[in-house]
Amino acid sequence: MPEQPSSRRIPLTRKAILDAAVARADSHGIDAVSMRSVAQALGVVPMALYNHISSKQALLSGMVDVIVTEIPPLDPDQPWQPAIRQRVLAAREVMMRHPWAVEVIKSRTEATPAVLQYINELIGAFLGGGFTPELAHQVMHALGSRMWGFALDVFPTPATPDDPSQRAALFEVMRTAYPHIATIAVAGAHPKVAMLGLGCDNQTEFEFGLDILLDGFEARLQAAAVESPQQAPEK
Amino acid sequence: MPEQPSSRRIPLTRKAILDAAVARADSHGIDAVSMRSVAQALGVVPMALYNHISSKQALLSGMVDVIVTEIPPLDPDQPWQPAIRQRVLAAREVMMRHPWAVEVIKSRTEATPAVLQYINELIGAFLGGGFTPELAHQVMHALGSRMWGFALDVFPTPATPDDPSQRAALFEVMRTAYPHIATIAVAGAHPKVAMLGLGCDNQTEFEFGLDILLDGFEARLQAAAVESPQQAPEK
DNA sequence: ACCTGAACACCGTTCAAGT
DNA sequence: ACCTGAACACCGTTCAAGT
């Protein structure tokens, strides 16, 4: 019995489909999420999904919506910088729970409601912190993917062989062909990482980049306040 | 006659395949690049490609290699900051010439030789500018996709209807549901962009984010020099 | 209104055969 | 060593039919 129709008592619903897709991605990886496989997991024929979700792309966007909803809200009692920092790091935790999410978010081209709401709230924090709309626009773009808690890590790791002697040979090749890469590879901030542990987008490095951006935003905010103090900062 | 075998006098070669794939992506978009379509463009059967390129993924990586080679070299006569800034902006121009490149680079997981060489040279510029290996490691990660001249623009544009009255209706919906987004949308630095012209990753915004990062790198470099002046900055 | 079944037009890739 | 032909095991999606 390859499927159990007894579980199909409850009618198919958009939410049930998205939850099944997220569950499947969590357990089997995003490549295991196809219209056919999700339908099978629900005990239903592939075309049944199309009554609730218009396309594979819509399914992926809906999956993002589901997990973006997991991001905890902004703390309204904090100044903009710690509030945003905290929320971005919270978003990062959600992304770490769903390792497929980064790849899917990178491929999205249209925003869904939960995504728009998250963005809207971040902008609200900037505006509430004294940013002009123009500056808020700029900093949101500068923040980019870091608003979701990840940095595009285009620093690809060559597959590191398990065999130590092969690994040493590879490192020797790297050191002669790309000496600077070899230099910083061994000088990573995290000594536990193997010598070719590039491609590491770990917590320290994420926060390093995030804080440079947030500090830069603060500096631009101050500069703007100085050159056009139409509204005094004290109230 | 659906194909011309006369063009198949020259033997198939890895470079010929990559060039054909790049040409096809430039003219028809990345979705038109399949093992089958590239083979057809070369007047050859799909499986013939596998003698020179091991997989579709290898084809995509090879395509990136081809265009990364188009990025002009670093100017060795300049200090690290203008040199890197200039080269990143040059990389950006290459990416603009090949609109498919951003999407493909985002999906790569392994570095190819030209990519490693480019990265190696950037690191060399940081090290030559006085960065410690540790700090160079950090700033390379913080730079992230911006080293390729693009920022991951996770700020997706809702499809804007052509019809003005529909567009006005959409904007009204946005303004009530996501007021802050609407606020900064109309306050973009580029007045020519339509009111819902979010998702714009234009030159000004790219440079805004890039300069925040580069300035932050400089500040960290100075801070490190102050706290451990084992090598005096003056010579 | 929702689900089904069959089919269409594709994919990347393996395998065995040709030269 | 390189190219071919046929096949395999998938895709997303359309269409017409069922209830």
Side-chain angles (χ1 to χ4, degrees):
Chain A
M1 51 191 84
E3 59 202 66
Q4 56 277 55
S6 62
S7 70
R8 219 48 338 278
R9 297 299 301 271
I10 47 170
L12 206 52
T13 197
R14 181 183 155 82
K15 177 160 178 13
I17 295 171
L18 293 179
D19 287 346
V22 167
R24 196 163 164 73
D26 284 344
S27 59
H28 291 80
I30 193 67
D31 287 346
V33 175
S34 67
M35 299 301 276
R36 289 167 135 94
S37 70
V38 172
Q40 198 189 31
L42 289 162
V44 109
V45 97
M47 281 312 298
L49 306 185
Y50 284 82
N51 290 311
H52 304 92
I53 280 171
S54 60
S55 67
K56 171 76 180 286
Q57 294 302 314
L59 178 73
L60 293 173
S61 295
M63 290 170 71
V64 172
D65 237 40
V66 167
I67 66 162
V68 166
T69 309
E70 294 178 13
I71 304 173
L74 272 165
D75 182 348
D77 297 331
Q78 291 205 279
W80 71 268
Q81 188 162 0
I84 286 175
R85 186 175 200 279
Q86 193 171 58
R87 196 171 201 212
V88 165
L89 293 179
R92 179 174 177 83
E93 282 176 35
V94 171
M95 297 304 153
M96 300 294 105
R97 282 207 296 273
H98 304 286
W100 49 270
V102 169
E103 184 183 329
V104 175
I105 288 179
K106 283 194 299 189
S107 73
R108 292 308 82 202
T109 56
E110 287 210 19
T112 42
V115 165
L116 288 168
Q117 190 181 330
Y118 178 81
I119 291 173
N120 187 65
E121 289 166 2
L122 281 192
I123 298 169
F126 281 119
L127 296 174
F131 286 74
T132 64
E134 288 79 6
L135 192 55
H137 188 133
Q138 298 264 55
V139 300
M140 283 297 289
H141 277 293
L143 197 53
S145 80
R146 276 192 172 80
M147 83 175 77
W148 303 110
F150 66 89
L152 220 197
D153 192 26
V154 194
F155 208 108
T157 319
T160 320
D162 285 337
D163 179 38
S165 79
Q166 274 191 3
R167 203 161 55 202
L170 173 61
F171 185 67
E172 195 51 39
V173 170
M174 291 288 287
R175 200 169 57 181
T176 58
Y178 314 107
H180 302 315
I181 296 181
T183 297
I184 74 165
V186 295
H190 23 64
K192 47 200 147 184
V193 170
M195 54 186 180
L196 276 177
L198 300 178
C200 40
D201 176 24
N202 74 2
Q203 192 70 20
T204 308
E205 280 152 4
F206 180 80
E207 295 186 16
F208 179 87
L210 177 63
D211 288 337
I212 285 184
L213 287 168
L214 293 178
D215 289 351
F217 298 168
E218 173 70 29
R220 266 68 175 177
L221 176 60
Q222 297 299 335
V226 165
E227 79 184 31
S228 72
Q230 83 278 30
Q231 195 140 337
E234 87 259 275
K235 60 171 170 180
Chain B
M1 53 191 84
E3 59 201 67
Q4 56 277 53
S6 61
S7 70
R8 216 63 314 284
R9 298 298 301 274
I10 47 170
L12 206 53
T13 198
R14 181 184 155 81
K15 178 164 178 9
I17 294 170
L18 293 179
D19 287 345
V22 167
R24 197 163 163 75
D26 284 343
S27 60
H28 292 79
I30 193 65
D31 286 346
V33 175
S34 67
M35 298 302 275
R36 288 168 137 94
S37 69
V38 171
Q40 198 189 31
L42 289 162
V44 107
V45 94
M47 279 312 298
L49 305 185
Y50 284 83
N51 290 309
H52 304 93
I53 280 170
S54 60
S55 67
K56 171 78 179 289
Q57 293 302 313
L59 178 74
L60 293 173
S61 295
M63 292 171 70
V64 171
D65 237 40
V66 167
I67 66 161
V68 166
T69 310
E70 293 178 15
I71 304 174
L74 272 164
D75 183 346
D77 297 331
Q78 291 206 281
W80 72 268
Q81 188 162 359
I84 286 175
R85 187 176 199 279
Q86 194 172 57
R87 195 170 203 213
V88 165
L89 293 178
R92 180 174 175 85
E93 283 176 33
V94 171
M95 298 303 153
M96 301 294 104
R97 282 206 297 273
H98 304 287
W100 49 271
V102 169
E103 185 183 329
V104 176
I105 287 178
K106 283 195 300 189
S107 73
R108 291 311 80 204
T109 57
E110 286 210 19
T112 43
V115 165
L116 287 169
Q117 191 181 330
Y118 178 82
I119 291 173
N120 187 64
E121 288 166 5
L122 281 191
I123 298 169
F126 281 119
L127 295 175
F131 286 74
T132 63
E134 288 77 7
L135 191 56
H137 188 134
Q138 298 265 55
V139 300
M140 284 297 291
H141 277 294
L143 198 52
S145 80
R146 277 193 170 80
M147 82 174 78
W148 304 111
F150 66 88
L152 221 198
D153 193 25
V154 195
F155 210 108
T157 320
T160 321
D162 286 336
D163 179 38
S165 78
Q166 274 192 4
R167 203 160 56 201
L170 173 62
F171 185 67
E172 194 53 37
V173 170
M174 290 289 287
R175 201 169 57 181
T176 56
Y178 314 107
H180 303 315
I181 296 181
T183 297
I184 74 165
V186 295
H190 23 65
K192 47 199 145 183
V193 170
M195 54 185 179
L196 276 179
L198 300 177
C200 40
D201 176 25
N202 74 1
Q203 192 71 20
T204 308
E205 280 153 5
F206 180 79
E207 295 186 16
F208 179 86
L210 177 62
D211 288 338
I212 285 184
L213 286 168
L214 293 179
D215 290 352
F217 299 168
E218 174 70 27
R220 265 67 174 178
L221 175 61
Q222 297 300 334
V226 165
E227 79 183 33
S228 72
Q230 83 278 31
Q231 197 142 337
E234 85 259 273
K235 62 171 166 181

